[in-house]
Amino acid sequence: MAKQNYQTETLNACGLYPEHISIEEWDNIAGMEREKQLIESKILLPLLNHELAKKHGVSTPKVLLLFGPPGTGKTSFARGIASKLGWSFIEVSPSQLICDGLDKQAFWLRTVFGELQGVDKAVIFFDEFEQMALRPDQASPVERMVSSEMLRQLPRFRTQEEVLLVCATNNIKIINPALLRVGRFDYILPIGAINAQERQEVFSLYLKHMNTGEIDLGLIAQRAERYTPADIEAVCTNAAQSAFEKETTLGSDYKLGTEDLLQALENHKATISEEDLGRFQEDIDQFCRADYCRLLLEDE
């Protein structure tokens, strides 16, 4: 307990705060069953069955990169992985790089990795990873130093047990190519748009907590083309607020219906554009060379 308290204090001094994630976070990831199944088989099973994995010569994953358009659930998956493992969750934000000045970014990154060396049973999450790992031709001298420091630290991180580093990016193209070579990341996984059936499942997840009447979920999901899980949450939140206001005005029970959701959809623009989808497919073709990436896109 004393060691754990010491680790927490030293992490807090770097602006890092371990968080316990409820098991429900994994269960509440709706509409992305293929991604969940892949992560369960490739990431979670070896970590939860370390000795059996070792028996079969399977290396437990250490570093994972999730890429895809904004709002597609990369952060949710990182938190969900921690919840499924029962490990603590520690998020490292790019904004922390500049807290002590631009010239100290590489030093701060080295310090953070040094503190993380003493952590066990934790999922470390680097969001907006590209900001810490810019390709040299797009980086300033200071940013190149940060990227070089990341190149040095990742192999050292891989020596730790019962720790998983999950990195997420909306723009994999600007990441230092040296970091994307074979051996740096155990898996590079695309997290993209969800199809109509998956959108229907996400709507169902949020609507079960609302006062609803008859709803044509098939129609709603069809109209929500290119909507991310985050978009759908926002639509449901806005529809719930509207229904609440209508009931306070009417003074009688008001049940949310299809037209209410259609109106909420009209008022919300999808995060992902057709151009985003095109770029995402290009990224898959360029950066994701394994068969499992294609499996995620079947029946889109």
Side-chain angles (χ1 to χ4, degrees), residues 132-149:
M132 306 179 199
L134 279 172
R135 52 185 304 134
D137 60 346
Q138 296 193 22
S140 67
V142 169
E143 290 168 333
R144 285 197 290 273
M145 290 176 61
V146 174
S147 182
S148 296
E149 188 62 42

Side-chain angles (χ1 to χ4, degrees), residues 102-262:
L102 292 173
D103 58 328
K104 295 183 179 179
Q105 291 182 70
F107 172 76
W108 180 87
L109 188 61
R110 183 164 61 253
T111 300
V112 166
F113 270 103
E115 295 300 338
L116 293 175
Q117 284 288 326
V119 171
D120 56 10
K121 294 187 182 300
V123 172
I124 317 299
F125 181 53
F126 279 60
D127 198 9
E128 300 179 76
F129 180 69
E130 71 279 0
Q131 294 190 31
M132 306 179 199
L134 279 172
R135 52 185 304 134
D137 60 346
Q138 296 193 22
S140 67
V142 169
E143 290 168 333
R144 285 197 290 273
M145 290 176 61
V146 174
S147 182
S148 296
E149 188 62 42
M150 186 66 75
L151 274 168
R152 284 191 290 269
Q153 293 298 334
L154 279 188
R156 297 173 185 172
F157 185 89
R158 298 184 66 87
T159 64
Q160 295 180 244
E161 297 295 331
E162 294 190 301
V163 179
L164 178 68
L165 177 62
V166 180
C167 304
T169 180
N170 300 332
N171 195 349
I172 192 172
K173 281 189 175 73
I174 64 173
I175 290 178
N176 189 334
L179 281 161
L180 299 175
R181 292 173 187 157
V182 175
R184 302 290 188 184
F185 290 96
D186 297 289
Y187 293 97
I188 298 177
L189 300 180
I191 306 294
I194 53 180
N195 61 33
Q197 177 59 42
E198 292 169 333
R199 293 194 296 273
Q200 187 168 325
E201 292 173 13
V202 178
F203 271 110
S204 294
L205 174 68
Y206 291 110
L207 291 174
K208 69 181 181 182
H209 301 294
M210 298 161 64
N211 186 39
T212 58
E214 291 293 325
I215 294 179
D216 186 344
L217 271 181
L219 175 62
I220 298 300
Q222 182 183 3
R223 295 283 184 88
E225 187 176 2
R226 292 185 284 102
Y227 278 55
T228 67
D231 287 327
I232 293 172
E233 180 181 10
V235 166
C236 290
T237 297
N238 292 335
Q241 177 67 28
S242 177
F244 165 72
E245 292 174 3
K246 287 177 180 177
E247 178 157 332
T248 58
T249 300
L250 295 171
S252 58
D253 181 50
Y254 185 88
K255 295 188 181 299
L256 187 77
T258 300
E259 289 303 318
D260 298 295
L261 285 168
L262 289 174

Side-chain angles (χ1 to χ4, degrees), residues 43-55 58 60:
I43 309 299
L44 296 172
L45 275 179
L47 289 170
L48 291 169
N49 300 275
H50 179 72
E51 291 303 318
L52 183 58
K54 184 177 179 181
K55 172 184 174 181
V58 173
T60 52

